[in-house]
Amino acid sequence: MLWIMRFSGFFSAAMVMIVLSPSLQSFPPAEAIRSSNMDYYLRFPTSSNSMDKISFRKAPVFRNAEECRSSKLGKSGVCDPSLVHVAITLDVEYLRGSIAAVHSILQHSKCPENVFFHFLVSENGLETIVRSTFPELKFKVYFFDPERVRSLISSSVRQALEQPLNYARNYLADLLEPCVKRVIYLDSDLVLVDDISKLWNTSLGKKTIGAPEYCHANFTKYFTEYFWTDRKFSGVFSGRNPCYFNTGVMVIDLSKWRRFGYSRRIERWMDIQKTSASRIYELGSLPPFLLVFAGHVAPIKHRWNQHGLGGDNVRGSCRDLHPGPVSLLHWSGSGKPWLRLDSKQPCPLDSLWVPYDLYGHST
């Protein structure tokens, strides 16, 4: 059981204790506000020898409970039907977050040896860091070529949202082995506080993806006035009941994705954005997903994405949790917990990320 220390106000010295159990729920998504360039705040040093300066403490070894179905990767490897498949990107700038996310998944899983991680990378050297931190982790690294999407990417509200690796999730069906029929995609700035097998076992029905939906959010703000006034664009939502969903936590049926060619459909909208007389959206890789899937998403309980803890896309201001269940904490927005903690200016909820942090500088 985790405890949250929360200040009741900026000038208040009073503190309260909140139990992190099924008693927290999500709040509206972060506002999409254009920024000049705030993303220097989000980065590790990226000099030529920066990789040598990054190190992590070795994680504890996590073993399956007795009731877990045995997973031995000798015979069927990644195709073992007992595995839970999780895809996460790895890059130097967000590596500390990715490592913490993996650590949290293992720590709260009843069957951690049955979790297989698919790491998407666009640079070398990260596999060694993962292996030294999690010596017994089941994982594979997949190279995503940035040139595959570079020409399709439009400028966004934050520079980090323009990075090609942010679009690798669009190609999971191509990158992962055909025998992998389902995958959970997770962003690098989150931690789980519940067993990931519960998310894995979510029914998608006839849908291709599942995610927590937020139908109270103002859906129109994710697209420009030009988009909404031109029926050849806005007509895509005709007959649909589109709701906002955050693409940082998704359960994906890869078999259906492959069958219906959704990677190409997303690319088509990215190309329209680049070639239209005016922009049809502003916010990175999210709008193409909304254009293809909004209104066709299997709803997942909000507890699986308490997002927006990183504040909005400019200020990264602190946010509180609202009453309701929580299984996953997500620092989407511009404020990342590891950098706020290092700067000695953390938000109260950043303390919930600390137990999963394994970062330590080399000496």
Side-chain angles (χ1 to χ4, degrees):
M1 184 175 293
L2 300 175
W3 293 83
I4 306 171
M5 298 295 294
R6 179 169 64 88
F7 287 99
S8 61
F10 185 78
F11 295 105
S12 174
M15 293 186 291
V16 297
M17 301 292 284
I18 303 173
V19 180
L20 181 59
S21 62
S23 60
L24 304 164
Q25 73 181 14
S26 184
F27 38 77
E31 293 293 324
I33 305 174
R34 177 164 291 280
S35 169
S36 54
N37 186 349
M38 297 290 290
D39 289 289
Y40 67 90
Y41 178 66
L42 304 179
R43 302 173 183 270
F44 269 112
T46 53
S47 61
S48 59
N49 64 346
S50 62
M51 201 76 76
D52 297 332
K53 297 180 180 179
I54 300 173
S55 67
F56 294 86
R57 300 185 302 279
K58 186 181 293 186
V61 175
F62 298 94
R63 298 298 186 195
N64 283 357
E66 288 185 7
E67 62 266 36
C68 297
R69 181 179 173 183
S70 177
S71 172
K72 300 187 184 301
L73 286 182
K75 225 173 192 184
S76 51
V78 69
C79 298
D80 184 337
S82 70
L83 295 174
V84 171
H85 296 277
V86 179
I88 300 178
T89 59
L90 290 181
D91 69 332
V92 173
E93 296 164 12
Y94 286 84
L95 184 60
R96 188 170 171 184
S98 298
I99 293 292
V102 172
H103 188 199
S104 73
I105 292 169
L106 297 174
Q107 183 166 321
H108 292 284
S109 176
K110 182 182 293 185
C111 306
E113 295 176 272
N114 290 17
V115 183
F116 192 100
F117 290 89
H118 304 263
F119 294 122
L120 313 176
V121 305
S122 291
E123 54 196 309
N124 297 321
L126 299 176
E127 179 175 355
T128 302
I129 294 175
V130 173
R131 179 62 68 194
S132 63
T133 307
F134 303 103
E136 300 192 32
L137 190 71
K138 293 179 172 69
F139 75 92
K140 183 174 179 180
V141 171
Y142 303 77
F143 180 77
F144 177 72
D145 186 355
E147 298 307 315
R148 186 164 186 174
V149 293
R150 199 182 299 279
S151 64
L152 292 171
I153 297 174
S154 302
S155 59
S156 184
V157 297
R158 285 183 16 235
Q159 187 179 4
L161 301 180
E162 302 170 23
Q163 299 307 308
L165 193 60
N166 201 43
Y167 293 80
R169 74 190 93 185
N170 301 1
Y171 301 96
L172 287 169
D174 298 337
L175 294 168
L176 273 55
E177 288 77 358
C179 66
V180 180
K181 309 297 186 185
R182 170 183 283 220
V183 70
I184 297 172
Y185 174 81
L186 298 176
D187 274 352
S188 299
D189 52 358
L190 54 77
V191 295
L192 273 75
V193 292
D194 203 346
D195 192 335
I196 197 168
S197 66
K198 298 177 184 177
L199 181 59
W200 174 256
N201 291 322
T202 299
S203 173
L204 300 183
K206 296 182 179 180
K207 302 295 195 299
T208 301
I209 70 169
E213 291 185 294
Y214 303 90
C215 296
H216 62 280
N218 180 8
F219 189 78
T220 61
K221 73 180 180 182
Y222 294 101
F223 301 94
T224 63
E225 183 179 354
Y226 176 75
F227 172 89
W228 290 114
T229 55
D230 192 328
R231 284 292 299 169
K232 74 173 180 287
F233 299 138
S234 59
V236 70
F237 294 121
S238 179
R240 292 158 64 176
N241 182 27
C243 295
Y244 164 79
F245 65 94
N246 180 279
T247 53
V249 179
M250 296 185 290
V251 181
I252 304 173
D253 184 327
L254 293 176
S255 297
K256 285 191 176 74
W257 187 293
R258 296 175 180 120
R259 188 182 317 141
F260 295 108
Y262 284 116
S263 296
R264 307 292 89 77
R265 296 190 192 190
I266 291 172
E267 284 182 337
R268 175 177 172 272
W269 281 110
M270 293 174 68
D271 185 60
I272 289 172
Q273 161 84 335
K274 293 285 285 189
T275 58
S276 292
S278 186
R279 298 172 66 97
I280 62 173
Y281 58 80
E282 300 288 351
L283 189 63
S285 62
L286 170 63
F289 254 89
L290 297 178
L291 286 160
V292 173
F293 291 110
H296 300 305
V297 175
I300 291 176
K301 293 179 179 179
H302 288 181
R303 67 186 303 153
W304 287 105
N305 195 354
Q306 172 77 240
H307 67 290
L309 301 185
D312 62 32
N313 280 309
V314 175
R315 293 176 292 275
S317 53
C318 298
R319 290 191 169 178
D320 287 333
L321 294 174
H322 293 182
V326 163
S327 294
L328 184 151
L329 298 159
H330 187 186
W331 279 262
S332 57
S334 63
K336 302 306 172 189
W338 55 93
L339 292 164
R340 294 196 296 213
L341 287 159
D342 286 354
S343 68
K344 309 301 182 185
Q345 296 179 325
C347 291
L349 293 180
D350 293 345
S351 62
L352 298 178
W353 183 85
V354 172
Y356 309 104
D357 184 22
L358 295 172
Y359 181 63
H361 290 282
S362 297
T363 55

